[in-house]
Structure formats: C-alpha cells, structure tokens
Amino acid sequence: ISPPALALIVQERKSTRLDFSISYAGTDNLIWTAEVQEEDADWLTLQPTSGSVTFGQPGQVAALADAAELSPGQYFANIVVTGEGFSGPIGIIPVSLTVTAGPQIGLEPQTPLSFSVLSGLDPDPQAITITNSGGGMLTWVATDDVGWLSLSPASGYLTGGQSQIVPVAVASASLEPGDYSATITVRDSNAENSPQTVAVNLTVLQRAAIELDPLSVSTSTPEGTNAFPWSMTLTNTGGRGLNWTATSSASWVSAAPNSGIVPYVPGVGGLSFSMWINFNTANLAPGDYEATITFSDPEASNSPQILPVSLTVLPGEAPTISNLSWSLRVLNDSTCGNNGSRFDIAFDYADPN
C-alpha cells in the first residue's frame, strides 16, 4: 500500500482528496476491501471501497475529506485494508486531517449608518470597514438595494486579519424630503457567516424658502429730505426655520432689522415677519438712484432673493404766495413802542414739496 500514511490539509467548509494505491505481487487476483476504522470519522470516505488487483496492475483508492461540518483543528482516522485469503488486515493507513480557518466577514459599524441632509444637496460620504476575521482568502462583494447609494470599491480580496475601508456615498440631491432606508450586504460564498449586513438611514430635510412682499420698492423724495419708510413682509414658505440676513448695495437704503429668524411650525405653514425699508436720502443730489437689498439664508432653497429699490430725488422748488390782501386794524397803536399801526395781512401759500 502506497503511501503508507495520508496527511490532508483543507480549509473549513471545503473538501479535499488524496489517493493511495494497492499493489499485489502474486500471480492470482487479490480481492480487497477498504473501510474507515473510526466510527466518528464520518468526514472521511473512500471511493471505491472494494476491488481486485493483479500483479503489475495496482488499484487506486481516493480518500475524500469533507470539512463542511468541522471546526478548525486536527482530526485522525485509520483506513483498514483487508484481502480475501488473508487472515488479518493487509494494511492500516493512518490519516491526519488539518482543518484551517476559512474566511469570516467582519463588518463595521454594527449600528446603522445615518445621513441627514437638506433637500437638493448630497451629504458627506461615510464608510464601512470590511475585515477578514478568519483565515484563507475573503473574496467579498458588497451590494445595496436602492439607487441613491453607492460603494467604491464594491468588491475585493482580503487575507486573514486584513481590513479595507469602503466609502459609502449618498446621491440625495434629487430626492424629495422624507425618510429613506437601505441595506448594504457583504457576501462571500466561502465565508461561514456570509452574508453580513449594515443598515443605512437617510433623512432629507425640507428647506426654508424666502418670499418677499412687495417684490420691489419705488419711491421719490424732495431734495434735502429722507424718503418715507416702506413697510414690507418676509415670509418663510419652506419647511424649516429661516435664519435670514439683509444686505444693501447702497448706503442710502437699508432694512430694519437686517437679520432675524422666521421659525417653522409643523402644521401651521409659512410664518411671516414685518420690517421696514428705511431711507437716508437727505444728502443726495437730485437724480435717479438704483440699489438692491439681498435677503439670504445659505440653507434656504431659493436663497438669495433680491429686492430692487429705485429712488428719485426731486429738485427743490420755492413756495408761491398768492391772493395777497391787507387791511388796517389800528392806526397809531399806543401799545407799539413807536406808535406804529397794526394791519391784518392774508395770502395763499403753496409748497409743491
């Protein structure tokens, strides 16, 4: 019998084989039988278990080791070969089986990945870490069950103890506000604990929105005066608090106040804030002026909003007096220090400014 002993090495969950041969030096046929001696060695089978050999024509037997149900470690058995016409075994073959650790999928984090982003934007990527926490070679493939999630790379190879960081990107800019969920699945058919999963939660937040009333301001004022203030309303028509600022392009016009918060109250709808557009025009020369006031919130969906302001400074005009009349009241009035006379004077006064 050759070889006289068999040493097999196999990765857990896999199988392997080694062959041995039975030769016979006689001139007749040898009818032989082979069996596994140990009752608990059900991991070892033989093919075939019987046959015949003649001189110069040895028989081959395959010893098959299946580690599907075995943990890493060492296992032993004996193969006993008997021959017809022989009183005892014609050969005992010691068999040793070494089962090595197979790949194991280690996946971090164990808790869900959580993304939160304003509508119209993509959040910063996060990452998962894939580790071969066993032995052998982990041939991993990662998939997800939604269209807005992507992993790069989505597959790879890891030896025992080796890890790889895999970025997870979310494309949420086109998603409507709301809550979304997904599952990342990491597989390797050779890993005992395949598949492994990690959950992904995504919240797309509604954004604030700026609405102005009126949409523009146009006014006039006489030279040397400040134009009358205008009242205006800023409304948050979005679904999130509005933290706004107002910036003027000219020193002669400004919003008062120039910043504020218009909160979002679920179920109530858009809230409004009243303010004034103030003018500092007393030092402006006659003419036409243009400016803008920019209302902005970086997190508002329609930021910025521009309020155009037009101003006309009118040239000054002298007042007019008409219909002048007078009448004598007291001649040589003694209450006057110089005995002057008192008169009543009447006229119409008109000032276009």
Side-chain angles (χ1 to χ4, degrees), residues 204-228:
V204 179
L205 302 171
Q206 291 192 11
R207 307 183 74 175
I210 303 170
E211 182 179 284
L212 303 178
D213 184 22
L215 297 178
S216 63
V217 171
S218 180
T219 189
S220 63
T221 187
E223 178 184 5
T225 64
N226 290 325
F228 286 109

Side-chain angles (χ1 to χ4, degrees), residues 105-120:
I105 301 173
L107 185 59
E108 294 290 340
Q110 296 295 316
T111 56
L113 297 179
S114 294
F115 295 86
S116 181
V117 64
L118 293 172
S119 62

Side-chain angles (χ1 to χ4, degrees), residues 1 3 27 45 50 68 72-73 78 154 185 187 198 234 236 255 301 313:
I1 297 174
T27 57
T45 58
S50 63
N78 287 318
T185 303
R187 294 181 173 88
V198 60
L234 186 152
N236 178 12
S301 60
V313 177

Side-chain angles (χ1 to χ4, degrees), residues 58-229:
Q60 292 292 117
V61 181
L64 306 174
D66 185 0
E69 303 296 331
L70 300 181
S71 301
Q74 280 197 316
Y75 300 84
F76 302 94
N78 287 318
I79 299 174
V80 178
V81 181
T82 58
E84 190 175 283
F86 289 84
S87 60
I90 60 174
I92 297 178
I93 307 172
V95 180
S96 66
L97 173 67
T98 301
V99 180
T100 61
Q104 296 277 333
I105 301 173
L107 185 59
E108 294 290 340
Q110 296 295 316
T111 56
L113 297 179
S114 294
F115 295 86
S116 181
V117 64
L118 293 172
S119 62
L121 299 177
D122 295 333
D124 293 333
Q126 297 187 37
I128 60 173
T129 300
I130 301 172
T131 302
N132 181 359
S133 54
M137 180 68 72
L138 177 68
T139 305
W140 63 269
V141 176
T143 59
D144 62 80
D145 55 358
V146 293
W148 46 264
L149 199 63
S150 61
L151 296 90
S152 180
S155 62
Y157 303 90
L158 295 171
T159 58
Q162 190 178 15
S163 297
Q164 183 170 3
I165 296 175
V166 180
V168 179
V170 170
S172 56
S174 62
L175 298 179
E176 294 295 325
D179 293 324
Y180 299 82
S181 61
T183 300
I184 296 173
T185 303
V186 180
R187 294 181 173 88
D188 179 356
S189 59
N190 293 321
E192 182 180 3
N193 63 340
S194 178
Q196 293 292 300
T197 62
V198 60
V200 180
N201 296 324
L202 168 66
T203 298
V204 179
L205 302 171
Q206 291 192 11
R207 307 183 74 175
I210 303 170
E211 182 179 284
L212 303 178
D213 184 22
L215 297 178
S216 63
V217 171
S218 180
T219 189
S220 63
T221 187
E223 178 184 5
T225 64
N226 290 325
F228 286 109

